[in-house]
Amino acid sequence: METKIRKYFKGKATREEILSLISWLEDEENRAEFKRIKNKWKANPDEQDLSSYTLLELDKFKSKILNKRAGEILQLKFIRRFYKYAAILLLFVALGSVFFYISGTSGKRTTFYNTIIAENGQISKAMLPDHTVVWLNSGSSLKYSNRFGVGNRNVELTGQAYFDVTKNKNLPFVVSCDEINVKVLGTQFTAEAYPEDREINVVLVEGAVELTSCNSDKTFARLRPDEMLVYNKQEHKFRIDEVVAGKYTSWREGTIHIYDQPLKEVVAKLQKRYNQQIILGKGIEDYKVTFSVRNEDFNDVLDMLLSITAAKAHQEGEIIYLDKK
């Protein structure tokens, strides 16, 4: 079974092997063994010839079954169980996880949604059904329905993502980012829309994008390459800055660039990146910092942060506390 599991991690398992693996995972002891093998595999980079998630094939497989007539109830029960355990499998993949849920009424076309997740401390890469490639930063998620690529190319972003969008002049690609929508035909850009942040940022790498309100299709701004839209969610105002786009997309390679940002926002980014809880004391939340790090250990980043701020640190259990000196 270990050989079959390793083939699954590398994206080389056949459908029959995956179905066999799903059945095997019904046993709790087997799931524990699966996790042990996964951890062993993750610890050996030489084995990790991992391809992007084959979401296109999954979508085709689900659509083929879920669009059957309502009378085929046994088949629907099977597919629900299948994707319950498919979600368990994908949860353990090194770069992220994918979950599926089903909604709809009998006799109508069934609608289900895919959600790609990058947990804190991880960066996920996935391919959407139209072959658009997406990178998700830590603590981010992307949701789309089974109508994606047929009736629409709409996705909902929570967090930060980089999109390399496949061109389709007849079907725009639309990213819903909280209060605004980003509309493109085929281009490369990054969008950042964490719920707790006061601003939404969109940076264009190449091509062109249009920005609309979530309540209207009317375009209120357009971007050119190396331009960034900054939208204030409280004031409902925006500005467009000239930037070097590469500095805002380098997080895909593990680089974090901080430009004159308050410590409370920086700490929020570091918590997602390193999956480390940090609590700020009073008096330093708005202290602004500028720095860049690339794949550094958290302790090294913390030491650097303490050297450029008026903060001191102490640890209680697994929580880091930052207080004013």
Side-chain angles (χ1 to χ4, degrees):
M1 183 58 68
E2 182 168 348
T3 300
K4 188 179 297 184
I5 293 173
R6 290 178 180 275
K7 285 181 66 178
Y8 172 79
F9 288 150
K10 294 179 181 180
K12 297 179 180 179
T14 65
R15 180 168 298 182
E16 289 73 23
E17 287 173 328
I18 292 174
L19 291 173
S20 172
L21 189 55
I22 291 170
S23 177
W24 183 75
L25 279 171
E26 292 182 10
D27 184 271
E28 185 175 353
E29 292 184 1
N30 291 342
R31 290 198 295 272
E33 175 67 7
F34 179 91
K35 188 173 183 179
R36 183 194 67 78
I37 296 171
K38 181 264 302 185
N39 289 333
K40 181 179 177 181
W41 176 80
K42 285 176 63 177
N44 188 354
D46 293 337
E47 294 188 30
Q48 297 177 26
D49 182 21
L50 184 66
S51 60
S52 302
Y53 299 137
T54 55
L55 296 179
L56 178 61
E57 291 305 316
L58 284 173
D59 276 355
K60 287 180 179 178
F61 184 53
K62 287 184 292 183
S63 296
K64 180 179 179 180
I65 296 177
L66 291 175
N67 290 332
K68 295 288 186 180
R69 295 184 179 274
E72 299 177 355
I73 188 67
L74 292 177
Q75 204 167 24
L76 278 174
K77 288 183 178 179
F78 164 77
I79 197 64
R80 284 172 181 157
R81 193 180 79 164
F82 176 89
Y83 282 106
K84 173 184 175 183
Y85 289 107
I88 293 174
L89 284 172
L90 290 167
L91 176 63
F92 289 114
V93 175
L95 294 180
S97 54
V98 181
F99 299 90
F100 310 98
Y101 63 88
I102 303 171
S103 64
T105 57
S106 178
K108 295 182 179 180
R109 181 182 179 87
T110 303
T111 300
F112 57 88
Y113 296 86
N114 300 328
T115 301
I116 310 167
I117 297 174
E119 298 177 352
N120 287 344
Q122 300 178 342
I123 296 175
S124 293
K125 180 182 178 182
M127 181 179 290
L128 300 183
D130 68 339
H131 298 289
T132 289
V133 179
V134 180
W135 286 259
L136 286 177
N137 207 350
S138 299
S140 303
S141 64
L142 191 74
K143 174 183 171 182
Y144 64 96
S145 79
N146 61 321
R147 293 291 296 161
F148 181 94
V150 181
N152 65 68
R153 289 203 294 167
N154 299 344
V155 300
E156 297 178 22
L157 172 65
T158 301
Q160 185 174 24
Y162 179 93
F163 298 90
D164 186 353
V165 181
T166 299
K167 292 183 179 180
N168 185 336
K169 295 181 179 180
N170 299 318
L171 205 59
F173 188 94
V174 180
V175 182
S176 175
C177 302
D178 198 345
E179 296 185 10
I180 67 173
N181 293 330
V182 184
K183 181 179 178 181
V184 305
L185 297 178
T187 187
Q188 296 181 32
F189 67 99
T190 184
E192 183 175 3
Y194 287 103
E196 65 273 19
D197 289 353
R198 60 183 176 179
E199 296 177 337
I200 300 171
N201 299 323
V202 179
V203 178
L204 181 60
V205 177
E206 65 177 42
V209 301
E210 296 180 356
L211 290 307
T212 67
S213 167
C214 63
N215 298 320
S216 172
D217 290 332
K218 185 177 180 180
T219 300
F220 67 83
R222 291 181 173 86
L223 294 182
R224 295 179 297 180
D226 289 317
E227 287 187 339
M228 177 175 69
L229 174 101
V230 181
Y231 180 89
N232 189 300
K233 294 190 289 186
Q234 295 177 339
E235 300 177 359
H236 306 291
K237 296 181 179 179
F238 72 92
R239 71 176 191 270
I240 296 177
D241 299 332
E242 291 188 5
V243 298
V244 177
K247 291 184 177 181
Y248 291 87
T249 62
S250 57
W251 56 264
R252 293 178 299 155
E253 288 79 43
T255 300
I256 299 178
H257 292 292
I258 302 296
Y259 299 98
D260 197 33
Q261 293 184 358
L263 199 54
K264 59 186 176 183
E265 294 182 7
V266 173
V267 164
K269 293 179 184 292
L270 295 178
Q271 287 187 120
K272 295 184 180 75
R273 168 66 179 273
Y274 292 99
N275 196 23
Q276 170 64 57
Q277 186 176 1
I278 305 171
I279 296 180
L280 276 179
K282 294 182 179 180
I284 57 174
E285 304 99 322
D286 296 322
Y287 191 97
K288 292 187 176 181
V289 296
T290 298
F291 63 87
S292 296
V293 295
R294 178 179 174 85
N295 294 323
E296 276 83 0
D297 181 83
F298 173 75
N299 290 329
D300 294 332
V301 175
L302 180 60
D303 289 342
M304 180 272 301
L305 199 60
L306 296 178
S307 70
I308 63 174
T309 65
K312 60 181 179 180
H314 73 278
Q315 183 170 355
E316 296 181 13
E318 297 183 354
I319 303 175
I320 301 293
Y321 292 84
L322 296 181
D323 297 295
K324 190 174 182 179
K325 288 181 180 178

